[in-house]
Amino acid sequence: MTTLDALDTKIIRILQGDGRATNANIARSLNVSEGTVRRRLKRLVGEKFIQILAQPDPIKMGFEAEAMIGMQVDPDKISQVANSLSELHEINWVAVTTGSYDIFAWTTLKSSEALGIFLRTKVGVVDGVRRTETFVKLDKMQGYEFII
């Protein structure tokens, strides 16, 4: 597998700031050819170093309840539970972790009532889930960025 070099890193940083930056604009700002940027992006996406995606604003789309769910799971069922959760359309992502919780999942729903129903009828009934704790998002600060 290929590794990232300084040019790859600069291209990624530009896209982090503006996901719609054109190859031509990226090339100009880095003083390289547009073809170089196009080839680099094709490789970065093809080798799954990066994904190009749209990130919707849940509030503007009518989703008012966002929460992280920490779960303690039977040790022999961690993978099974993680896979089951990742198949639920209400779940944005699932992470298997160390510490007090075996799994964390992020969910976005229309309302706090919908969150309660989801926790009781979908998460709480997954075989292997022993205990959950839900952390409801109150506010979001800008600044999340994976810096390379």
Side-chain angles (χ1 to χ4, degrees):
M1 179 162 72
T2 313
T3 59
L4 297 179
D5 66 12
L7 182 57
D8 293 327
T9 300
K10 289 175 184 176
I11 291 169
I12 293 169
R13 283 187 182 151
I14 289 170
L15 288 171
Q16 283 180 300
D18 178 6
R20 295 182 61 174
T22 65
N23 291 348
N25 286 342
I26 294 170
R28 268 192 299 281
S29 69
L30 297 177
N31 200 28
V32 297
S33 74
E34 186 176 350
T36 296
V37 172
R38 187 174 38 259
R39 283 188 299 279
R40 294 292 183 112
L41 280 173
K42 183 177 180 181
R43 182 180 61 80
L44 291 169
V45 171
E47 293 182 14
K48 301 194 186 301
F49 279 101
I50 62 171
Q51 295 179 55
I52 308 296
L53 54 92
Q55 184 172 351
D57 182 327
I59 298 297
K60 288 184 179 180
M61 297 188 69
F63 293 86
E64 297 183 5
E66 293 183 83
M68 185 178 313
I69 309 161
M71 287 161 267
Q72 293 176 341
V73 177
D74 294 334
D76 62 330
K77 295 186 178 168
I78 291 174
S79 292
Q80 175 187 331
V81 170
N83 287 330
S84 294
L85 292 168
S86 68
E87 292 174 2
L88 299 174
H89 77 275
E90 297 92 345
I91 297 287
N92 300 81
W93 56 259
V94 175
V96 176
T97 62
T98 62
S100 299
Y101 297 98
D102 303 301
I103 297 174
F104 278 99
W106 186 263
T107 187
T108 306
L109 294 144
K110 291 279 187 184
S111 66
S112 56
E113 293 81 16
L115 174 60
I117 292 167
F118 173 72
L119 292 169
R120 288 188 303 276
T121 63
K122 293 197 178 178
V123 175
V125 299
V126 174
D127 183 39
V129 174
R130 294 190 318 226
R131 180 180 179 277
T132 67
E133 185 173 353
T134 305
F135 305 88
V136 175
K137 181 189 96 171
L138 299 177
D139 199 3
K140 178 182 175 186
M141 304 299 146
Q142 282 301 103
Y144 171 79
E145 187 174 325
F146 176 67
I147 303 296
I148 54 172

